[in-house]
Amino acid sequence: MKVLITGADGFIGKNLSLRLSELGHADVVGTTLTTQPHDVQQALATADFVFHLDDVNRPQDPAEFAIGNAGLTQSVCNALAASGRRVPVVLTSSTQAALDNAYGRSKQEAEMAVRSYGAATGSPVHVFRFPNVFGKWCQPNYNSAVATFCHNIARGLPIQVNDPAAPLTLVYVDDVVNRFVQLLDGADAAAGPDGFASVTPQYTTTVGELARLVQSFKDSRTTLMTERVGTGLVRALYSTYMSYLPVGSFAYAIPQHGDPRGVFAEMLKTPDCGQFSYFTAHPGMTRGGHYHHSKTEKFLVIKGQARFRFRHVQTGETHELQTSGDRATVVETVPGWSHDITNIGTDEMIVMLWANEVFDREKPDTVACAV
């Protein structure tokens, strides 16, 4: 199947092109607004599926709306109809097509051209009226608050929030691309009750909350406290923010606390799933010598040899075990048992540590008690 992507140099076009390449689609042609008309016509004449993503939304002359949106779309439809083949078309429109402005009218006319092409030729057509699409490679300081906030905050530049309560409806570019691939693979393409194809999930938030979240991503490098970045909107926003980091910010230092035994460093804290740390110990050095009432921990020795000792603070029962970095073994501390760990090897010992709660200096739940 020969796939044509118009606007292949745009935000969605770049993401779609990469995904199709990953999936093994070798016959993908991309055109842009600077592609010669003859080359565009040749690509249309042989295309088996068209993603029409070309879009003009901030021209110097408002007349370019009609030329670059409505006019170009009509010429694409005319060329496909002239080929005499049923070629599916996906059109990326905008929710602004419902508005009475130059851009909205041009997008509405583009929608009408695609629908007329589908009705006349029997070709499947899919018209998407997207809200704000966000993700990697979207141009900042252009027409995306997400891109602008991520780009500027990652560089310590100011952002402008006129109305923190202003609502935002967002769609993540990976979800857009996934839906496009499904259509390319022949998935059910039934439109919604409004006649438009859609992408799910759609996220709703506010400009103020968006700004807060993006700032929290930057702040997490100093507070070490991460947002819940594993699912939903926050996951997508966090990934987007990370994509805007300049290369000089790919790494950052965290505080290390050293003493004669070795060093200790906290790496990451979470709101409700504890924190991650690591420590080292020189040969013969012992760490710990305390117990907890509620806190539990997981230790993983990744280098060296360790001896763990435990003593029940009520019964006096003891337990001892040894682990090493040669075999991944997690050792857990148990409430009510005093514990310590000793480097019994000849090299420096390195240990990863997870605690189920973030350390609170006011309520440390750590009671000194020799094993």
Side-chain angles (χ1 to χ4, degrees):
M1 179 181 291
K2 185 171 184 178
V3 179
L4 171 62
I5 303 174
T6 73
D9 60 342
F11 162 45
I12 298 177
K14 290 177 181 177
N15 280 274
L16 176 60
S17 297
L18 178 61
R19 186 67 179 130
L20 294 181
S21 174
E22 293 167 355
L23 294 173
H25 289 273
D27 202 357
V28 178
V29 176
T31 64
T32 71
L33 292 175
T34 62
T35 302
Q36 293 298 314
H38 173 267
D39 294 331
V40 175
Q41 293 298 314
Q42 187 174 35
L44 288 166
T46 56
D48 299 309
F49 200 107
V50 175
F51 293 98
H52 184 39
L53 314 182
D54 257 327
D55 181 63
V56 174
N57 54 32
R58 281 199 175 184
Q60 294 183 344
D61 182 354
E64 294 180 39
F65 282 131
I67 298 171
N69 292 330
L72 178 59
T73 302
Q74 186 63 66
S75 67
V76 166
C77 292
N78 291 343
L80 293 175
S83 73
R85 298 175 299 118
R86 298 177 68 225
V87 181
V89 175
V90 170
L91 173 69
T92 53
S93 187
S94 165
T95 53
Q96 291 200 41
L99 303 180
D100 187 19
N101 57 46
Y103 177 66
R105 288 190 295 271
S106 71
K107 297 302 287 185
Q108 189 175 81
E109 290 174 13
E111 294 173 356
M112 294 171 60
V114 169
R115 292 191 187 283
S116 296
Y117 158 76
T121 65
S123 302
V125 297
H126 318 288
V127 179
F128 290 83
R129 276 191 176 180
F130 285 129
N132 300 278
V133 184
F134 71 100
K136 65 183 182 297
W137 305 335
C138 186
Q139 183 176 344
N141 301 300
Y142 187 62
N143 66 348
S144 167
V146 175
T148 301
F149 287 4
C150 289
H151 175 273
N152 287 15
I153 289 175
R155 289 161 176 76
L157 302 174
I159 61 172
Q160 181 175 341
V161 178
N162 296 323
D163 180 7
L168 273 179
T169 302
L170 302 171
V171 176
Y172 188 40
V173 71
D174 283 11
D175 295 322
V176 171
V177 169
N178 287 340
R179 184 60 179 143
F180 283 0
V181 170
Q182 290 172 356
L183 294 175
L184 182 61
D185 291 341
D188 178 19
D194 57 0
F196 296 99
S198 62
V199 171
T200 57
Q202 291 193 6
Y203 303 107
T204 57
T205 186
T206 64
V207 175
E209 177 63 7
L210 169 64
R212 185 199 69 79
L213 277 170
V214 177
Q215 184 64 51
S216 76
F217 300 151
K218 180 180 178 64
D219 293 344
S220 68
R221 288 190 167 192
T222 52
T223 66
L224 303 183
M225 180 66 72
T226 182
E227 295 283 341
R228 297 174 178 86
V229 296
T231 59
L233 174 61
V234 182
R235 168 187 174 272
L237 283 175
Y238 182 66
S239 296
T240 301
Y241 168 76
M242 292 297 294
S243 75
Y244 286 89
L245 286 178
V247 294
S249 298
F250 281 9
Y252 62 101
I254 57 176
Q256 283 186 329
H257 308 280
D259 61 29
R261 298 171 300 174
V263 299
F264 172 81
E266 296 175 325
M267 174 187 172
L268 182 68
K269 302 177 182 180
T270 70
D272 50 16
C273 292
Q275 68 178 51
F276 296 86
S277 313
Y278 81 90
F279 63 83
T280 67
H282 303 309
M285 290 292 130
T286 298
R287 286 184 172 274
H290 56 242
Y291 67 88
H292 312 293
H293 290 287
S294 299
K295 180 187 300 185
T296 65
E297 301 156 315
K298 294 178 184 288
F299 292 86
L300 175 63
V301 177
I302 58 177
K303 178 187 175 184
Q305 297 185 14
R307 180 185 67 208
F308 288 86
R309 298 190 305 166
F310 300 86
R311 181 174 64 83
H312 195 288
V313 297
Q314 281 289 312
T315 67
E317 180 184 354
T318 61
H319 181 62
E320 182 177 309
L321 60 88
Q322 295 183 12
T323 67
S324 73
D326 297 333
R327 182 176 182 182
T329 302
V330 172
V331 178
E332 296 192 284
T333 63
V334 179
W337 287 73
S338 183
H339 52 271
D340 63 23
I341 175 174
T342 301
N343 182 352
I344 59 174
T346 58
D347 297 324
E348 181 183 53
M349 180 175 67
I350 302 175
V351 183
M352 291 180 59
L353 168 63
W354 172 82
N356 70 313
E357 60 185 47
V358 173
F359 182 74
D360 183 351
R361 293 188 182 278
E362 298 299 320
K363 299 178 181 179
D365 189 15
T366 301
V367 183
C369 181
V371 177

